[in-house]
Amino acid sequence: MTFVRLRGNGVSPGIGMGEVCLSEPVFLSARKESIPGSSVGNELRRLKRAVEQTKIELLDLKKKIKGHMGEEHAFIFDAHLLILEDHSLFAGIEKSIREEKARAEWALAQADRKYQEIFDAIADEYFRQRKSDVSDVLARIAANLAPKPKRPAKPDGMKKQVLVAHDLLPSEAAMRFTWGNVLAVAMDMGGSTSHTAILARSLNIPAVVGLHDLTLQVKEGDYIVVDGTDGEVILNPPLAVRKEFQSKKAKYDKYFRELKKTARLKSVTLDGEKFFPLANIELPEEVSMAFSFGAEGIGLFRSEFIYLQRASLPTEEDHFAAYSRIAKAAYPSAVYIRTIDIGGEKSLPQLKIEKEPNPALGLRAIRFSLWNRDLFRVQLRAILRASVLKNVRVLLPMVTELEEVGEVRFLFEEVKKELARERVQFDAQIPLGVMIEVPAAAAISDILVKEVDFISIGTNDLIQYDLAVDRSNEFVSYLFKPFHPSVLRLIRFVIQTALRERKDVAVCGEMAANPLSALILLGFGLRKFSMNPIFIPRIKKTFRSVELATVEKVVEEAMHLRTAQDIEELIIERILVKHPKAFLLGQLM
Ligand code: PEP
Ligand code: MG
């Protein structure tokens, strides 16, 4: 038993350790078996029966998962059922059987290979990860061609184990997770947006993926440690290392319990000022996880995923399904749906988007939507239809001038009239707001705010454009400074302008998730902080241990300083003197 340490990509935090349970990969037979021309009809019928059987199985699995883990996890099977209805996929498989006079097993394997190649060539990680869903469905059909399905059966004695797999198919992961005996997951393949990773995260099962050849190094029964927080996997550790991880696990579990406790506490400062932690999410199924971390609404739904998730353009129904699911799951709390922020470097697989020399300054976000009005109308119609519960708001990304708001309003009114003519219900008073993430918009926020119902400040882009620092370029990351006086002056101006006009204002960039910068925002008068849900308890903990009056005084003083470093140091010093516990939990993360 050799001791091995491997680094991977931690996609679900926490530590799990125990005996390895190896999940066998599902291979699609690559062996070509020819059939006589007279048997082709038979073979096509055999395929059809297997597809029908697969549909029955998927519907059954969906019901089971819903029963065990709740509605929000059954979505995987909706995606799989959609794949089963993909005519071009099955036309290709039938064509292979007909033209090559080959068995259906081989035709399925050919289709799988072709789709893997197509998906591998896609730059977007979320979209690329969908390839395992296609394999999953094809493997299930192949299993149904044979008399005995090869799917794992629920074992009798339910020993708790660590699941190790080359590439755990999402439906298998969902099934195994319902059995409740998975301590952690480690995989050779995978990315953070694979369905397996998403499921593991929302069920709090530690997971590390992208371990390349782990499955070649382990065998059933080996002892394994999976550290999903640091993205590490240790095989057969000596006693001392095992102990080290046991104590790390105990600390993490305690910390997690503490976080969960904080999530349930009231969102008020020490002197009783109410604030609202909101969640930034990218997938509809993240809503319940967000609320479990203490979110009091969805402050930002990045709707791009709807486009990145499928091979063809999403229909109005696709949009509507996602938005109404979020609106219902979050009801009565508010949901801010941001219209797509695509274009530039985030290209759409379904559309040929011209490569631009300077994508961050190009046809991005609202510019893209106004350029592609047919797509934009589809999205607006779906958002309106999902607004019947009156908790939906529309957020426009990357606005730079008033004319853009005017154009959107015009289109929005047209779409509303169209829906009214069709007697479709929607919230006629649905609030419309803009993101302030370009310095130009910040500077004219006094003008913009009069034309909209609310404002949300996207500090990630605002810093990028204000300081001329590419937010994803590590060479200049040292210049990406949230505490730069210029950034703070702009943000203060926007917040105070909105408050003066009595309009709702939120921050949905990373600055809302960092205890120090969030304190500055609190001092500026902000009360709505939207962030990745896992950071909500940390912010709540910090805010609950400070007095608003102190924060306001310190922030006022900091705004007279000249550099980011001076500002940061002053805030830490002054706040800690008065409230020594303010950053305790924050330092752990
Ligand atoms: C931002 O720019 O701060 C923001 C929240 O939007 P995104 O990170 O999606 O660009
Ligand atoms: Mg942005």
Side-chain angles (χ1 to χ4, degrees):
M1 291 224 261
T2 32
F3 165 44
V4 183
R5 283 184 101 121
L6 295 167
R7 282 237 152 252
N9 183 8
V11 291
S12 179
I15 294 171
M17 49 180 84
E19 245 177 52
V20 167
C21 165
L22 256 178
S23 158
E24 291 303 328
V26 188
F27 285 120
L28 283 156
S29 162
R31 197 161 59 92
K32 185 171 178 184
E33 219 182 300
S34 299
I35 52 170
S38 57
S39 300
V40 165
N42 233 343
E43 199 59 19
L44 290 175
R45 279 190 291 281
R46 199 163 77 94
L47 174 70
K48 193 160 176 258
R49 274 196 304 274
V51 171
E52 279 160 9
Q53 179 57 30
T54 303
K55 187 167 179 181
I56 295 170
E57 266 179 31
L58 286 174
L59 287 169
D60 184 48
L61 265 172
K62 185 179 162 183
K63 216 164 86 195
K64 277 205 187 104
I65 302 289
K66 210 161 137 181
H68 272 83
M69 305 198 285
E71 174 99 47
E72 69 273 25
H73 297 302
F75 74 95
I76 288 179
F77 298 101
D78 289 330
H80 287 193
L81 285 162
L82 274 178
I83 294 170
L84 266 191
E85 275 159 26
D86 185 334
H87 293 298
S88 65
L89 171 66
F90 287 98
I93 296 169
E94 287 169 6
K95 191 164 167 242
S96 302
I97 297 176
R98 231 180 268 121
E99 288 182 1
E100 298 281 333
K101 297 196 179 42
R103 282 232 173 262
E105 281 86 347
W106 177 80
L108 286 167
Q110 291 303 99
D112 186 50
R113 219 193 51 208
K114 189 178 122 197
Y115 274 80
Q116 299 306 305
E117 279 168 14
I118 295 174
F119 278 97
D120 280 339
I122 294 169
D124 182 82
E125 139 63 38
Y126 184 86
F127 195 66
R128 213 174 334 113
Q129 289 301 326
R130 302 285 72 78
K131 71 179 177 183
S132 57
D133 292 306
V134 176
S135 288
D136 198 337
V137 173
L138 295 179
R140 196 171 278 281
I141 299 171
N144 281 324
L145 285 167
K148 241 191 310 111
K150 295 187 209 99
R151 294 266 148 183
K154 182 175 174 177
D156 291 339
M158 290 293 279
K159 192 153 67 169
K160 297 219 171 198
Q161 287 174 315
V162 173
L163 196 54
V164 176
H166 176 66
D167 189 9
L168 196 58
L169 297 176
S171 71
E172 191 186 337
M175 201 59 233
R176 286 182 181 270
F177 291 167
T178 60
W179 298 343
N181 69 330
V182 179
L183 295 166
V185 176
M187 264 166 38
D188 293 345
M189 308 287 286
S192 64
T193 52
S194 68
H195 274 151
T196 301
I198 294 167
L199 262 182
R201 264 200 302 278
S202 54
L203 295 171
N204 286 327
I205 297 174
V208 178
V209 302
L211 290 154
H212 305 293
D213 61 352
L214 171 69
T215 48
L216 299 180
Q217 308 196 41
V218 290
K219 50 184 192 321
E220 194 90 13
D222 275 353
Y223 193 89
I224 189 170
V225 175
V226 175
D227 181 346
T229 309
D230 286 337
E232 202 181 9
V233 161
I234 298 109
L235 260 184
N236 301 316
L239 201 60
V241 178
R242 215 191 265 203
K243 280 203 170 132
E244 175 198 326
F245 276 91
Q246 267 156 359
S247 94
K248 194 172 172 190
K249 175 173 164 47
K251 267 195 210 133
Y252 179 84
D253 291 349
K254 183 163 169 257
Y255 167 62
F256 193 73
R257 280 196 302 275
E258 177 88 0
L259 280 189
K260 287 284 189 177
K261 250 195 267 157
T262 310
R264 289 193 297 270
L265 299 175
K266 270 196 174 161
S267 305
V268 284
T269 60
L270 203 56
D271 47 352
E273 181 72 20
K274 171 92 185 113
F275 60 90
F276 299 87
L278 306 173
N280 292 353
I281 61 166
E282 275 149 37
L283 302 166
E285 46 276 3
E286 286 173 320
V287 176
S288 62
M289 188 260 285
F291 280 85
S292 78
F293 276 99
E296 295 178 23
I298 303 301
L300 173 65
F301 171 56
R302 294 180 164 104
S303 65
E304 293 83 72
F305 107 98
I306 297 172
Y307 288 82
L308 301 175
Q309 202 185 23
R310 35 180 67 74
S312 48
L313 278 171
T315 62
E316 187 180 314
E317 291 315 307
D318 294 331
H319 281 280
F320 174 70
Y323 307 147
S324 62
R325 213 170 117 197
I326 299 173
K328 277 187 202 146
Y331 184 80
S333 305
V335 173
Y336 296 65
I337 298 175
R338 183 174 74 182
T339 63
I340 55 162
D341 183 356
I342 222 145
E345 75 271 281
K346 278 194 227 161
S347 66
L348 266 189
Q350 303 90 333
L351 288 180
K352 280 225 162 352
I353 297 178
E354 294 284 325
K355 275 235 168 312
E356 296 174 277
N358 208 340
L361 304 182
L363 200 59
R364 209 194 123 177
I366 194 63
R367 304 169 182 184
F368 177 87
S369 289
L370 286 171
W371 195 263
N372 293 280
R373 296 200 181 202
D374 290 345
L375 292 186
F376 195 31
R377 289 179 89 98
V378 169
Q379 182 167 35
L380 291 177
R381 271 181 70 98
I383 298 176
L384 277 165
R385 284 174 54 201
S387 69
V388 279
L389 294 172
K390 299 195 190 307
N391 63 335
V392 171
R393 292 155 196 220
V394 185
L395 181 54
L396 309 172
M398 229 191 124
V399 165
T400 48
E401 57 172 29
L402 191 62
E403 290 87 329
E404 285 166 331
V405 179
E407 282 188 60
V408 173
R409 278 236 180 260
F410 184 75
L411 208 64
F412 206 37
E413 290 313 311
E414 266 187 7
V415 173
K416 280 185 189 170
K417 277 190 204 134
E418 199 175 87
L419 287 175
R421 270 199 307 276
E422 294 168 21
R423 300 198 186 290
V424 176
Q425 298 218 320
F426 61 90
D427 174 10
Q429 313 302 325
I430 183 170
L432 179 76
V434 289
M435 301 257 310
I436 302 289
E437 42 187 357
V438 179
I444 60 160
S445 55
D446 53 333
I447 300 169
L448 286 171
V449 76
K450 292 195 173 70
E451 303 303 318
V452 294
D453 302 302
F454 64 92
I455 268 179
S456 187
I457 309 173
T459 54
N460 307 339
D461 276 314
L462 188 60
I463 299 171
Q464 145 161 292
Y465 293 122
D466 185 32
L467 304 181
V469 178
D470 179 347
R471 63 193 254 193
S472 53
N473 180 344
E474 59 187 282
F475 294 110
V476 286
S477 62
Y478 71 101
L479 289 170
F480 193 92
K481 292 184 180 169
F483 300 97
H484 190 296
S486 166
V487 172
L488 295 181
R489 285 179 194 187
L490 278 179
I491 294 175
R492 180 174 60 175
F493 176 67
V494 177
I495 292 174
Q496 294 181 347
T497 303
L499 293 177
R500 221 178 13 253
E501 289 292 325
R502 298 185 186 285
K503 294 278 169 83
D504 210 12
V505 56
V507 166
C508 60
E510 296 301 312
M511 276 180 79
N514 174 296
L516 267 186
S517 49
L519 277 179
I520 299 186
L521 301 173
L522 185 75
F524 287 163
L526 190 80
R527 297 294 176 264
K528 291 195 168 157
F529 301 78
S530 196
M531 65 200 91
N532 182 327
I534 60 167
F535 297 124
I536 291 177
R538 174 171 83 168
I539 291 299
K540 275 183 82 165
K541 186 94 176 163
T542 296
F543 283 11
R544 282 176 51 84
S545 47
V546 297
E547 271 172 9
L548 178 64
T550 315
V551 175
E552 281 174 343
K553 233 173 47 222
V554 174
V555 170
E556 176 57 37
E557 194 183 337
M559 288 305 282
H560 294 289
L561 300 177
R562 299 184 305 170
T563 67
Q565 193 179 342
D566 290 348
I567 294 175
E568 194 172 349
E569 282 173 7
L570 182 103
I571 304 275
I572 297 178
E573 254 174 58
R574 294 278 202 281
I575 296 286
L576 282 184
V577 167
K578 190 88 197 281
H579 305 296
K581 285 202 202 133
F583 306 124
L584 271 186
L585 192 64
Q587 281 157 1
L588 269 169
M589 297 214 29

